[in-house]
Amino acid sequence: MGIKMSKAMFDGKEITLEEYKESMKNKLTCIYCGVPITHVSGHQKSVGDREVWVRSYFRLISKQSPHKDGCEYITSNAIKQIFAKVADDDLMTKQDNKYIARLHVITESIEKKDKKKEIKENPKGIAEKKSTKKYIRNGEKPAYLQTMKRIVELKERVDDDKELRDLVVLQFFNDYKKVYDEIKWKDFYVDYDVKQYEHIYELIKKKKVYHPICFSGEVKEVKKVKDKDLYVVKYYSIRRGEGEYISLSIMTKSKDVYEYAKELIGKKVVAYGCGHYTGNIISTEREGKNIKYYNFSTFINVKEQLFVLE
């Protein structure tokens, strides 16, 4: 059904979602190609025991009346535009009508810097234990993160993401096997949803995740860990069953991230995390009931790894 639209044409004029009135029904067209479109009202959606607001949008009336060739609201055209803005072929290439997004490129140069530092500090080549976690440093490839943000925003805007999943292939270099692994979309993008949170929690718990992950959610609180140079950005937990919650924390050592994240409380945010782990299951008592929290975390290092979704 194409991409969710924020603008429409009515009576020869462009209108926004805020300007829509019921009297405009059946009189709306696409601002780019002129096909008939309709308005979908905003509504509440239950996620666990929370009510989440889903914004209104314009969409095609039916699959039988698709956008015309060349329209910017066709998913493949939107991806083509993202690809056109990529300055480096290492990050995104086109092969056999598919776009290959290489997630490891963002962290690849960091490994090279660490290796040079290791040689400088250890010229005799004495073996030392090296961390396998990959983090993004301040100023590290901001254009690449902008590309990922555009892909994430498109993921949020498509009515049905099957076309996006078919057109954009995610790859990450497997250091152990020395091959490019294809990363499934369900293992890369985690919407604020019980099943998706549970799925990724179990993958991380089994240590089957080594690539970056995008975690979607609404920021609940931002705080500094006592006596540590560590900050936590917490999303609202999701109830997975009676007395059980699954809870994500975004960890950072950056004060810039901390200050920025404090402005995002109550907003829908996607965190592009690198380095994930599960914590202890915390049991507590609330209103006479035993409550369990299944905690897991991801790590970010720059504020550009937080994608705000309006």
Side-chain angles (χ1 to χ4, degrees):
M1 292 291 288
I3 298 172
K4 297 174 184 176
M5 295 165 271
S6 58
K7 295 180 180 180
M9 289 296 290
F10 170 75
D11 197 22
K13 295 181 181 179
E14 193 175 292
I15 65 162
T16 63
L17 288 163
E18 291 72 24
E19 294 172 320
Y20 173 78
K21 298 176 182 178
E22 194 64 24
S23 59
M24 299 175 180
K25 189 175 180 180
N26 300 323
K27 301 174 185 177
L28 302 173
T29 57
C30 172
I31 62 173
Y32 294 117
C33 68
V35 298
I37 62 175
T38 188
H39 178 266
V40 178
S41 299
H43 60 278
Q44 296 281 358
K45 180 180 77 170
S46 296
V47 181
D49 59 356
R50 291 192 70 232
E51 292 295 317
V52 179
W53 179 251
V54 179
R55 290 190 63 190
S56 61
Y57 58 93
F58 298 115
R59 67 165 175 81
L60 289 170
I61 290 178
S62 71
K63 290 182 179 180
Q64 283 67 45
S65 300
H67 290 286
K68 295 177 183 177
D69 291 347
C71 182
E72 293 186 22
Y73 284 125
I74 294 175
T75 306
S76 58
N77 290 340
I79 296 170
K80 192 182 298 181
Q81 286 189 5
I82 293 173
F83 177 68
K85 293 178 181 179
V86 177
D88 195 328
D89 289 343
D90 286 342
L91 175 65
M92 203 170 182
T93 58
K94 189 176 181 182
Q95 297 175 9
D96 301 325
N97 295 319
K98 290 193 176 187
Y99 296 88
I100 314 298
R102 298 190 177 96
L103 306 176
H104 59 277
V105 171
I106 297 173
T107 55
E108 208 168 50
S109 63
I110 297 172
E111 289 185 79
K112 292 176 183 176
K113 288 179 184 176
D114 288 343
K115 189 165 283 186
K116 287 178 181 178
K117 182 179 179 183
E118 184 182 341
I119 292 170
K120 186 176 180 181
E121 295 177 354
N122 187 18
K124 294 182 180 179
I126 300 171
E128 294 179 352
K129 186 177 180 181
K130 185 180 177 184
S131 173
T132 57
K133 288 184 179 178
K134 302 171 183 177
Y135 302 128
I136 298 172
R137 293 199 180 99
N138 195 29
E140 185 70 40
K141 300 195 182 269
Y144 287 6
L145 286 170
Q146 272 298 313
T147 298
M148 293 313 304
K149 182 180 180 181
R150 292 185 189 109
I151 293 173
V152 164
E153 288 174 336
L154 180 58
K155 170 74 168 61
E156 284 285 318
R157 290 169 59 209
V158 293
D159 253 354
D160 180 356
D161 65 5
K162 184 182 184 304
E163 188 177 10
L164 178 65
R165 288 185 279 115
D166 289 342
L167 285 170
V168 179
V169 177
L170 305 169
Q171 287 187 348
F172 196 84
F173 187 71
N174 188 319
D175 288 326
Y176 180 72
K177 296 179 181 178
K178 303 300 179 186
V179 296
Y180 291 93
D181 286 341
E182 183 173 323
I183 307 302
K184 296 177 181 178
W185 268 92
K186 69 175 183 177
D187 298 340
F188 169 70
Y189 190 92
V190 187
D191 204 352
Y192 187 68
D193 175 85
V194 177
K195 290 184 178 179
Q196 292 187 38
Y197 264 51
E198 285 184 328
H199 167 72
I200 212 70
Y201 174 87
E202 291 300 324
L203 276 186
I204 295 171
K205 183 180 178 182
K206 294 172 183 175
K207 303 187 187 305
K208 290 188 176 182
V209 178
Y210 55 93
H211 56 271
I213 298 176
C214 288
F215 299 89
S216 178
E218 188 177 319
V219 177
K220 180 183 180 182
E221 63 176 330
V222 180
K223 61 183 181 180
K224 184 182 185 298
V225 178
K226 189 177 180 180
D227 301 326
K228 289 185 180 181
D229 292 326
L230 189 66
Y231 306 94
V232 183
V233 181
K234 286 189 69 68
Y235 282 173
Y236 277 96
S237 301
I238 299 179
R239 185 170 67 87
R240 62 183 301 190
E242 187 64 36
E244 293 187 346
Y245 290 80
I246 186 164
S247 183
L248 173 69
S249 296
I250 301 155
M251 317 297 291
T252 183
K253 291 184 178 181
S254 169
K255 191 172 182 180
D256 285 343
V257 172
Y258 168 68
E259 295 294 340
Y260 176 61
K262 286 194 295 184
E263 302 172 7
L264 306 181
I265 293 173
K267 293 186 177 182
K268 186 173 182 180
V269 174
V270 171
Y272 184 87
C274 303
H276 332 284
Y277 54 91
T278 56
N280 296 325
I281 299 173
I282 306 298
S283 293
T284 186
E285 192 170 297
R286 189 171 67 193
E287 298 178 356
K289 296 181 180 179
N290 186 48
I291 306 294
K292 287 185 179 180
Y293 287 92
Y294 294 79
N295 298 304
F296 67 118
S297 303
T298 192
F299 192 92
I300 69 171
N301 206 42
V302 297
K303 64 182 183 181
E304 287 80 9
Q305 287 175 259
L306 296 177
F307 308 149
V308 183
L309 303 177
E310 299 298 338

